[in-house]
Amino acid sequence: MHSPTPTETADAATDPLGRERSHLAASRAALTAMREDVEALDLRDVTGTWVSAQVLQKQVDERIKALADLAHTPLFFGRLDYLHAISEAESEGSGGERFYIGRRHVHDAGGDPMVIDWRAPVSQPFYRASRTEPMDVAKRRRFGYTGGELTAYEDENLSDPDESDSRSALLAAEIEKPRVGPMRDIVATIQPEQDEIVRADVTGTVCVQGAPGTGKTAVGLHRVAYLLYAHRERLARTGTLVVGPNRSFLQYIEQVLPALGELDVAQATVQELVGHVEVRGTDTAGTARIKGDARMAAVLRNAVRAGITLPAEPCVVVRGSRRWRVPAYELEDIVRELMGREIRYGAALEALPQRIAHAVLVKMEQGGEAPDDRVQDAVARNAAVKATVKACWPAVDPVKLVHRLLSDPEFLATAADGLLDAGEQAALLWAKPPRSARTAPWSAADAVLIDEAADLVHRTPSLGHVVVDEAQDLSPMQYRAVGRRCTTGSATVLGDLAQGTTPWATGSWQEALHHLGKDGAHVEELTQGFRVPGEVIAYASRLLPAIAPGLAPATSIRDLPGSLALRHVPDGLDAAVLDACREALDHEGSVGLIAADARIPALAAALTAAGLPYLDPGTETTADARLTLVPASLAKGLEYDYVVLDEPAAIVTGEPDHRTGLRRLYVSLTRAVSGLTVLHAEPLPAELD
């Protein structure tokens, strides 16, 4: 919070940029002082036990990391000058207040804020104020930086009726800045429609359908940062998680949250979430589709409960010289009651011996004894009770259960009766059943089935908030796996139906949200792109009628004539690709060479022979290596300043079906930020004509 003094106003008039640089220097010094204060804390006199000391030291270490000053990251990127005072401390004066908006809060030695966190309520008008709704803002100032040095500023006088609307040059420059290294935050460029999603309430699940370049991934990550700011105590207790499609993608986005001062957000792929077994096998597309079908949840439920048997014999407990008999009909009532309750199989297994023991205690009391809880626990551990429980409600090992389901035709037929037809059951069975679960050739889809079975036995712990990106590619069973990690929390679901590149890709967000367990979620659609040039997105959108006929074509605020080049190369395609890569490297920024997976070995050899260094997807670029060789299967979610796209027809034919191939091509066509060069020897897919 700051109200400009007359002296400062005069200084600002004569040297406004100098004054802003002085404020930046003072803010950096204040941040350094804040960090030094934390580093100087002596915890020896404030901790009681070794455990509490360790916990407190961890909190202090995390605070020190959060206060790091990143030299090439602007400490603040904007300023708001309000017409009237906001805080009580300033309410007596007639003038307004001034706030610098940045990535984190910084205060001076007296505790007065020098930079306001972008997530604070007072910062919201920086993203949402307009001339039609100025939100009491007189002036919004944006700052331009070069290598961490403040070099420019730009003002919008929102409350001045005589000032006309114009596009912010600094905002455009920030959006179009060349992409080098991992994904950056977009905190300085969040648009009003994005800000609404970012600040949505923590109790609600939000689904974002976003066309390429609309910033949906960044919006999801900034939403996590906002929720941790607004509901830190709640989410610190329950936890947050970002789920991505693969490790390359997670490596690409992993620096966004730390740059915003958030260090404790877990990241994982769906496969890592369900890592109960080592995956070393693969399924055909047809088999994987069946294993990912929501009907498998009912099949597994039947399989888990298949061993339950109604008792035919009484349970006789001997204690001292007395025998206590629980008749079979009474045991049957107990088992049936547990079967009818909506509790996990394992919870019922733990409850059953206690229920039988309670029946024994009732008989003891009727016989004149006065047993207590200790007696009930002892009876529950009695050999006769254990034998009855084992016979009626046997323990279930999720891994062994799925192994049996995929190995035993009769067991599968019983569990899948009325759910899967004979052909579907046959597709699930292993051609040569492995001898044990340890040696089984588990596939990625099998691991999801095991996770479902594990949840049927013991409830999966729920987190406070889960972000799932590229969600359109998840199967119903994968949605269930993610959904049970946020049963008592909320979720942010991000994706693009047009980029669904698995045979089981979801057909609608309503269907996906149902499997996730979030039927009431609100669906937002982002169609205005900020990164992909208009010429490129318009060309890629030719595929939409074939791959996602219900979606509106995306638009772009960026008009870059000449950003798309199509080159037919009947002979010498590899050499032409190398030339195109060299041309792209003449420009500033990152370059992605995207090709069908089958073409990667040949292109890798050609690049090596030509002396062109290249990186794997997700690896951070350097001054010496700005070219990344990207298999089309890993291109989703990644972004490069310039893209060289090799042989579109090969990308299409490399997928199990034509629609999936066209969707893979759509993804590949929309990875470019500044320029796309498409080279082909074969005819282009007809859908691009």
Side-chain angles (χ1 to χ4, degrees):
M1 174 188 66
H2 179 69
S3 296
T5 65
T7 301
E8 288 175 330
T9 302
D11 290 343
T14 56
D15 184 16
L17 189 58
R19 181 187 179 281
E20 302 294 14
R21 287 173 174 167
S22 295
H23 187 77
L24 175 61
S27 299
R28 289 200 181 280
L31 179 61
T32 299
M34 290 170 62
R35 182 184 172 101
E36 290 173 348
D37 286 345
V38 179
E39 291 174 332
L41 287 175
D42 187 348
L43 305 180
R44 290 173 295 181
D45 296 330
V46 295
T47 56
T49 66
W50 179 85
V51 174
S52 61
Q54 292 296 311
V55 171
L56 188 55
Q57 186 61 55
K58 182 175 184 292
Q59 293 174 343
V60 169
D61 291 342
E62 290 175 350
R63 178 63 175 162
I64 291 171
K65 290 180 182 177
L67 290 172
D69 187 1
L70 307 178
H72 296 289
T73 300
L75 193 56
F76 57 79
F77 46 81
R79 194 185 90 187
L80 289 176
D81 293 359
Y82 279 87
L83 287 169
H84 303 92
I86 293 177
S87 62
E88 294 181 4
E90 300 287 340
S91 59
E92 296 180 1
S94 58
E97 292 178 84
R98 174 177 297 164
F99 297 92
Y100 287 83
I101 313 301
R103 285 168 172 77
R104 69 197 64 191
H105 176 86
V106 179
H107 60 74
D108 62 18
D112 292 327
M114 301 187 70
V115 180
I116 299 293
D117 195 301
W118 66 275
R119 297 166 287 186
V122 74
S123 302
Q124 185 172 328
F126 183 79
Y127 302 107
R128 298 201 192 178
S130 64
R131 284 187 176 79
T132 56
E133 190 176 352
M135 301 176 72
D136 200 43
V137 174
K139 179 188 294 182
R140 173 169 53 203
R141 174 168 287 183
R142 299 182 189 275
F143 296 105
Y145 288 83
T146 302
E149 179 69 23
L150 198 162
T151 55
Y153 69 90
E154 180 182 75
D155 290 337
E156 296 172 88
N157 296 303
L158 299 180
S159 298
D160 185 351
D162 297 327
E163 186 168 306
S164 59
D165 284 325
S166 61
R167 187 187 177 199
S168 167
L170 288 181
L171 179 63
E174 178 64 24
I175 290 174
E176 298 170 8
K177 186 180 295 183
R179 173 74 69 208
V180 177
M183 183 179 185
R184 298 193 308 265
D185 63 72
I186 61 165
V187 64
T189 62
I190 293 174
Q191 300 299 295
E193 64 273 20
Q194 296 173 325
D195 190 64
E196 290 184 15
I197 298 170
V198 167
R199 296 177 193 264
D201 189 72
V202 69
T203 60
T205 289
V206 178
C207 177
V208 182
Q209 158 61 41
T214 55
K216 58 183 177 294
T217 297
V219 165
L221 295 174
H222 285 67
R223 175 159 167 72
V224 171
Y226 171 76
L227 292 178
L228 285 168
Y229 174 87
H231 308 277
R232 186 167 301 280
E233 183 176 345
R234 172 179 178 173
L235 292 180
R237 183 176 67 254
T238 56
T240 52
L241 171 69
V242 175
V243 180
N246 51 60
R247 262 294 136 194
S248 296
F249 176 82
L250 292 177
Q251 290 171 356
Y252 178 61
I253 68 170
E254 67 182 357
Q255 294 304 316
V256 173
L257 289 168
L260 298 172
E262 299 299 342
L263 306 171
D264 290 330
V265 179
Q267 295 184 351
T269 64
V270 173
Q271 204 55 53
E272 290 167 345
L273 286 182
V274 300
H276 305 281
V277 292
E278 180 183 353
V279 173
R280 49 177 176 264
T282 56
D283 291 313
T284 64
T287 298
R289 189 183 292 110
I290 298 168
K291 289 181 178 179
D293 194 290
R295 293 173 295 168
M296 288 302 300
V299 173
L300 287 164
R301 186 177 187 277
N302 292 341
V304 165
R305 301 171 75 87
I308 300 175
T309 304
L310 295 176
E313 301 291 336
C315 178
V316 180
V317 176
V318 179
R319 284 185 61 82
S321 61
R322 305 195 66 174
R323 294 160 57 90
W324 305 99
R325 183 177 182 272
V326 182
Y329 73 86
E330 199 169 329
L331 293 172
E332 181 178 333
D333 288 344
I334 294 173
V335 171
R336 286 189 182 279
E337 193 270 335
L338 288 174
M339 290 174 64
R341 293 175 61 187
E342 290 298 321
I343 61 174
R344 294 299 193 273
Y345 185 90
L349 176 60
E350 293 169 1
L352 182 54
Q354 290 290 336
R355 297 292 295 275
I356 296 174
H358 177 73
V360 173
L361 259 65
V362 170
K363 298 181 184 304
M364 287 181 175
E365 291 170 347
Q366 292 171 347
E369 295 191 11
D372 56 19
D373 291 343
R374 291 175 296 176
V375 175
Q376 178 168 327
D377 290 339
V379 172
R381 296 192 298 269
N382 183 273
V385 174
K386 288 183 176 180
T388 299
V389 170
K390 184 176 181 180
C392 297
W393 205 286
V396 170
D397 181 311
V399 177
K400 293 180 179 178
L401 178 89
V402 176
H403 173 263
R404 182 184 176 192
L405 198 66
L406 302 181
S407 303
D408 186 340
E410 293 184 5
F411 184 58
L412 176 60
T414 301
D417 185 34
L419 296 167
L420 303 177
D421 61 34
E424 290 171 320
Q425 293 178 34
L428 291 178
L429 291 165
W430 280 313
K432 185 179 180 181
R435 291 184 178 181
S436 69
R438 185 186 306 175
T439 60
W442 298 112
S443 68
D446 295 335
V448 179
L449 298 181
I450 294 171
D451 191 69
E452 179 82 23
D455 183 69
L456 289 167
V457 177
H458 293 290
R459 184 184 297 276
T460 304
S462 175
L463 298 165
H465 192 79
V466 173
V467 175
V468 53
D469 204 354
E470 302 298 346
Q472 73 281 343
D473 275 339
L474 300 187
S475 70
M477 292 299 288
Q478 287 175 318
Y479 277 117
R480 291 176 62 86
V482 174
R484 56 180 157 265
R485 267 93 184 163
C486 56
T487 50
T488 59
S490 56
T492 299
V493 181
L494 311 167
D496 180 6
L497 296 178
Q499 297 185 58
T501 51
T502 55
W504 50 84
T506 188
S508 72
W509 289 121
Q510 287 71 26
E511 174 190 342
L513 291 166
H514 172 71
H515 295 310
L516 194 70
K518 305 293 183 183
D519 286 288
H522 178 61
V523 180
E524 291 278 356
E525 187 170 1
L526 298 177
T527 59
Q528 180 170 267
F530 302 96
R531 298 286 290 170
V532 183
E535 192 175 344
V536 172
I537 197 66
Y539 182 69
S541 293
R542 296 182 185 183
L543 298 173
L544 286 179
I547 62 176
L551 290 185
T555 60
S556 177
I557 66 171
R558 302 186 62 208
D559 183 19
L560 294 178
S563 55
L564 173 66
L566 304 176
R567 299 177 187 173
H568 180 217
V569 186
D571 300 304
L573 180 61
D574 288 2
V577 167
L578 295 179
D579 289 340
C581 289
R582 293 188 184 96
E583 291 176 18
L585 288 168
D586 286 339
H587 299 282
E588 183 184 1
S590 59
V591 177
L593 170 54
I594 303 177
D597 290 28
R599 285 272 293 153
I600 294 298
L603 291 174
L607 289 170
T608 301
L612 283 174
Y614 65 90
L615 305 168
D616 295 326
T619 305
E620 187 170 346
T621 57
T622 66
D624 298 324
R626 294 185 290 118
L627 172 64
T628 303
L629 179 58
V630 187
S633 62
L634 296 181
K636 189 172 299 178
L638 304 181
E639 190 177 81
Y640 303 94
D641 288 289
Y642 293 87
V643 168
V644 177
L645 184 63
D646 171 83
E647 199 60 271
I651 293 175
V652 175
T653 57
E655 298 298 326
D657 59 82
H658 189 65
R659 189 188 75 161
T660 302
L662 290 176
R663 286 182 167 182
R664 185 75 72 189
L665 178 58
Y666 180 78
V667 171
S668 301
L669 287 168
T670 54
R671 300 304 94 198
V673 171
S674 297
L676 169 66
T677 301
V678 179
L679 299 102
H680 62 103
E682 300 178 31
L684 293 171
E687 291 81 0
L688 284 175
D689 290 341

